[in-house]
Amino acid sequence: MVKPILCRHVLIILTAIVVLYSLFISLRPVEVVAVYHDNNYIDVIVKHFPSEDMGKITWWLDHKKTLSSKGVIPLSPSLHHYSITFWDYGEGFKPKDDDALCFAEIKSSVNCIDKKALLIVSNDKAGNVYFTVDNARYRLDNSNIIKIEDW
């Protein structure tokens, strides 16, 4: 028979491991692997992107000026309309298949990733900024992020 105190210690250790692993995963910095431009459409391939909707949007709001000032994502005032899609790097670049997103800029037969969009940031002619994540859409209203219902 296992002593109750031993079971309690094992449970505490397992809980600590899960908490520490979750912290490690959530605190890893986002890595921009590659950026591809096609006029007003920008594809950004990333690693370690936040998993929650608000985490993704907050990351963008916190980093857009830095990414723009470094020229990674050109958001000049002349762009009246833009769409930026953040794609999951996943297992990395792979050969073309039916479900892959391929980049002609990469001069290799291994130039595709799985089509897993993590976040789409776009605007309209009126200057409203929208965030599309999974099955939800949000609009930036001043500093407020408002979920668009019935989207």
Side-chain angles (χ1 to χ4, degrees):
M1 177 172 198
V2 178
K3 295 182 181 181
I5 192 126
L6 179 61
C7 289
R8 195 171 341 165
H9 287 307
V10 169
L11 185 59
I12 290 170
I13 290 170
L14 288 175
T15 302
I17 290 170
V18 168
V19 168
L20 289 173
Y21 180 74
S22 297
L23 277 172
F24 169 74
I25 293 297
S26 66
L27 295 176
R28 290 184 299 180
V30 172
E31 180 184 339
V32 175
V33 175
V35 180
Y36 300 101
H37 309 268
D38 184 11
N39 296 319
N40 297 358
Y41 298 93
I42 303 168
D43 292 305
V44 183
I45 303 170
V46 293
K47 286 183 181 179
H48 315 303
F49 213 62
S51 59
E52 301 296 321
D53 289 359
M54 286 303 133
K56 294 172 184 178
I57 294 168
T58 301
W59 181 88
W60 165 252
L61 293 172
D62 290 346
H63 292 86
K64 70 179 180 177
K65 284 185 181 177
T66 303
L67 293 169
S68 180
S69 68
K70 290 182 176 180
V72 175
I73 298 174
L75 290 179
S76 68
S78 65
L79 280 182
H80 300 293
H81 172 72
Y82 61 84
S83 179
I84 306 165
T85 304
F86 292 86
W87 299 96
D88 185 19
Y89 184 63
E91 299 296 317
F93 289 104
K94 62 182 194 173
K96 184 176 183 174
D97 69 26
D98 291 338
D99 275 346
L101 173 66
C102 301
F103 299 94
E105 296 90 342
I106 300 175
K107 304 300 180 199
S108 167
S109 62
V110 181
N111 64 345
C112 305
I113 58 171
D114 290 325
K115 288 181 186 174
K116 184 176 179 191
L118 302 171
L119 170 68
I120 301 170
V121 181
S122 59
N123 69 346
D124 61 17
K125 290 180 182 181
N128 296 307
V129 176
Y130 296 93
F131 305 100
T132 307
V133 283
D134 296 323
N135 295 316
R137 191 157 199 213
Y138 301 85
R139 180 175 53 85
L140 186 62
D141 185 12
N142 292 321
S143 296
N144 300 316
I145 301 167
I146 300 168
K147 186 172 185 177
I148 298 173
E149 300 297 330
D150 300 324
W151 175 74

